[in-house]
Amino acid sequence: MPEGPSVKRFQLLTAPFVGQVVAKVGGSSRQRNLKDLKAMRLQDSQASGKNLFLAFGAALEAWTMGGSPSPGPVEEEPTIQGEADRGACSLTLSQEGQEDEVSQLSPKEHSVQRKQETECSVPDAADAAGGIWKWLRFHFGLFGSIRANEFSRANKANKRGDWKDPVPRLVLNFDSGGFLVFYNCRIHWCTSPAVEPASDILSPKFHRGQALAALRQPTSICYTLLDQRYFSGLGNIIKNEILYLARIHPLSQGSLLALSDLESLLDHAVQFSTDWLHKKLAGKGLHYQIYLKEKCPLGHEVMQGTFGPRDGFKRLSWWCPQCQPLQELLEQRRLQP
């Protein structure tokens, strides 16, 4: 599943289309009222954690840079020279967290999400001429992606041996002649973007104190890291990589770890995510230290296990027993005569 850095890049891919008017709507999505986007103007694009939010307003309104006042907070996005140039460009994901297909939500989280989707299933009914924006929330699947000005093509045959191109979930054609194509994503209307900068690991407003307090809970550290309430955008790849970099076992209890270890883990979380985003924007691949590996960089055998809270989904973890010894074992060794 796309993690925070990927969704940030999706947002940057859509940003050049802000201010343009939708001329045609297509795709396989059965979400209600998507056809109403025709003749509306894309007013804003925001990313938060693993979600992308797009705002649409009446095209009859005069549009200036920044558009009309946003119902939700607008956060400055990282940019790289040349990213705003709108030529034919594409973005796809390949094997990014393949074990995380089922959206990585616990039954409790699924219940909360279903409630939110029910409450936000229909766009704001206010008159568009009054300046009210209508927001769409995109949550991407395992191989979710966005392409600009081109469609995805099959690169291998399916199980039936057919070479069928992927079917877009949504296609937005703009009056400029350009278009955006959305693949493998869930689309829902919402009244405003659910942006929480304090929990977004890529936000300048990320709250370290709140994150540290969460990490110090008497819970396996690998569970806490995937809690989107505190680490929005942090997924299984980032989890595995930063635990190795911080030399912490996935099942270590946060309450037993030294504050310095937790601060180091937090530093790695922010730095790794930021570096990954910059690599994506520069078109460079990411070299994993431990994720999907059989040996760690020091040549030790890597262990693999599936861990998760009792009432939640289980995620695959990779760790090196020598580089990342379990905290309880270290304590036992310390107490031995």
Side-chain angles (χ1 to χ4, degrees):
M1 174 187 296
E3 302 186 20
S6 296
V7 178
K8 286 288 186 182
R9 191 179 177 188
F10 291 166
Q11 187 276 327
L12 290 174
L13 191 63
T14 63
F17 292 86
V18 171
Q20 299 185 28
V21 176
V22 178
K24 183 180 178 181
V25 180
S28 64
S29 176
R30 296 182 179 180
Q31 179 58 250
R32 296 175 58 188
N33 301 322
L34 284 182
K35 297 297 182 182
D36 292 348
L37 293 176
K38 183 178 179 180
M40 298 187 72
R41 191 187 304 277
L42 177 59
Q43 300 281 12
D44 195 9
S45 171
Q46 296 187 34
S48 179
K50 298 180 180 181
N51 293 285
L52 172 69
F53 298 91
L54 298 183
F56 297 86
L60 296 177
E61 298 175 0
W63 186 87
T64 58
M65 184 63 69
S68 57
S70 170
V74 178
E75 182 180 341
E76 183 177 351
E77 301 293 344
T79 60
I80 281 186
Q81 184 66 31
E83 281 297 312
D85 295 337
R86 193 184 62 102
C89 60
S90 65
L91 174 60
T92 56
L93 300 176
S94 59
Q95 296 188 358
E96 184 176 287
Q98 296 185 16
E99 75 282 3
D100 289 338
E101 165 62 12
V102 194
S103 102
Q104 300 307 330
L105 297 177
S106 68
K108 180 179 179 180
E109 292 169 326
H110 272 298
S111 176
V112 172
Q113 178 168 310
R114 282 196 298 270
K115 179 180 179 182
Q116 293 173 341
E117 291 170 357
T118 300
E119 294 173 348
C120 302
S121 60
V122 180
D124 198 311
D127 183 6
I132 301 298
W133 290 1
K134 295 170 170 53
W135 290 88
L136 280 180
R137 178 173 68 88
F138 296 80
H139 190 82
F140 297 88
L142 177 60
F143 294 113
S145 65
I146 298 177
R147 287 179 177 257
N149 304 322
E150 67 174 358
F151 290 93
S152 177
R153 301 301 181 189
N155 54 17
K156 63 179 181 179
N158 59 25
K159 294 180 179 179
R160 297 181 179 179
D162 300 324
W163 285 74
K164 290 186 177 181
D165 294 333
V167 177
R169 193 63 53 85
L170 178 66
V171 182
L172 297 177
N173 293 273
F174 294 90
D175 56 357
S176 64
F179 58 93
L180 287 170
V181 191
F182 301 79
Y183 292 95
N184 193 17
C185 58
R186 295 197 304 275
I187 307 171
H188 298 281
W189 291 101
C190 59
T191 55
S192 63
V195 177
E196 296 291 344
S199 62
D200 192 332
I201 55 176
L202 285 171
S203 170
K205 298 180 181 179
F206 178 63
H207 198 300
R208 290 180 59 94
Q210 174 181 284
L212 277 174
L215 289 174
R216 300 185 75 173
Q217 298 177 91
T219 307
S220 295
I221 203 76
C222 66
Y223 305 168
T224 306
L225 286 173
L226 293 178
D227 192 329
Q228 300 299 294
R229 294 175 300 174
Y230 310 110
F231 299 96
S232 180
L234 195 154
N236 210 38
I237 294 176
I238 298 176
K239 178 205 76 177
N240 281 284
E241 291 293 297
I242 64 175
L243 283 173
Y244 176 76
L245 292 171
R247 299 299 192 263
I248 296 176
H249 191 285
L251 293 180
S252 292
Q253 297 289 305
S255 57
L256 298 179
L257 292 170
L259 180 58
S260 59
D261 291 333
L262 296 177
E263 290 176 336
S264 174
L265 179 62
L266 195 54
D267 289 339
H268 283 300
V270 174
Q271 190 62 52
F272 181 88
S273 301
T274 302
D275 290 345
W276 192 6
L277 173 60
H278 290 163
K279 286 180 180 294
K280 283 182 171 294
L281 296 180
K284 298 179 180 179
L286 180 67
H287 176 69
Y288 301 140
Q289 299 285 311
I290 198 77
Y291 181 72
L292 300 176
K293 298 294 185 179
E294 295 182 355
K295 291 187 177 182
C296 78
L298 298 181
H300 305 142
E301 294 293 330
V302 170
M303 299 291 291
Q304 177 181 327
T306 304
F307 308 128
R310 182 175 301 176
D311 60 344
F313 285 105
K314 309 297 186 278
R315 278 82 160 185
L316 279 170
S317 289
W318 286 262
W319 75 97
C320 172
Q322 296 191 51
C323 298
Q324 301 165 261
L326 190 60
Q327 185 67 25
E328 286 80 352
L329 294 178
L330 290 178
E331 186 66 17
Q332 292 175 7
R333 292 173 185 172
R334 188 183 68 83
L335 296 176
Q336 287 179 353

